[in-house]
Amino acid sequence: MDAVEIAQNVMGSPWLYLAIYVFVAIDGFFPTIPGETLVVTSGVFAASGQPELPLVVLVAAAGGLTGDHVSYGIGRLAGSRLLERMRPGARKRKPFDWAARTLRQRGGSVLIICRFVPGCRTAATLTTGSVRFPLPSFAGFSSIGGLCWASYFTMVGYLGGITFRQHPLLGVVLGIALAVLVAGAVEGIRNVRQRRAETGEDFPAEETAGQTSSIPTREGTGTYQ
């Protein structure tokens, strides 16, 4: 059963809000769960009055905050060991390297940026945990990112629901298409910046001199205490 079927089966029921919370929370540390799809779908049906649009946003934001904290905790407990298993330069390792570099340069704002890119989102939260980024600061940036993310995806679905009020499934298709378009644009920008970073174009000389692809560890110079 996919996210659209779940939303249709529990639409108008309080169980929908629980489903949104659980799906989005799990999506924060296990990104194969279609959290965005369920939020967009709920936004589409909110155009007809059920569910309540503000509640969808708040519940989705709460789920995102919960999932981010679980991922942060995993990173704090076992992040360094998980990263050591990834070969430097491997495709799976690159989002973590990018998150570590960006975290050193821009601090917690990376959590807001990566909130809109599923794979990068988990990499950023795991990385902030592994480098012992201060929990209060993490919670603040995660809350801002989660609320922006929930508002955007809910409103994208709501726009699709208004456009295709008589055909909500078409609204779901439109909403998901817009969500994928934005996520793809953010990911494209991130890839461009990553390529520039690897060639030394996007970071200061001291950052690119032999350590741009390293992940800080508890003992490393980039670790937060």
Side-chain angles (χ1 to χ4, degrees), residues 26-40:
I26 296 176
D27 188 28
F29 57 91
F30 192 66
T32 59
I33 299 298
E36 279 101 344
T37 302
L38 184 55
V39 174
V40 170

Side-chain angles (χ1 to χ4, degrees), residues 153-209:
F153 281 100
T154 303
M155 291 308 299
V156 162
Y158 186 76
L159 176 62
I162 291 176
T163 304
F164 297 99
R165 190 177 296 273
Q166 303 302 320
H167 304 281
L169 289 182
L170 291 178
V172 172
V173 172
L174 174 62
I176 293 175
L178 289 174
V180 170
L181 180 63
V182 170
V186 174
E187 176 68 3
I189 293 171
R190 186 187 70 80
N191 284 331
V192 170
R193 293 184 65 82
Q194 180 174 314
R195 286 196 294 270
R196 289 180 177 178
E198 291 171 351
T199 59
E201 297 177 11
D202 200 34
F203 293 88
E206 63 269 23
E207 287 284 338
T208 58

Side-chain angles (χ1 to χ4, degrees), residues 89-112:
R91 183 175 181 180
K92 290 184 178 180
R93 175 72 179 256
K94 288 184 178 181
F96 294 91
D97 294 335
W98 179 86
R101 287 195 302 266
T102 309
L103 184 63
R104 287 197 300 267
Q105 285 209 327
R106 298 176 176 85
S109 62
V110 66
L111 295 168
I112 300 175

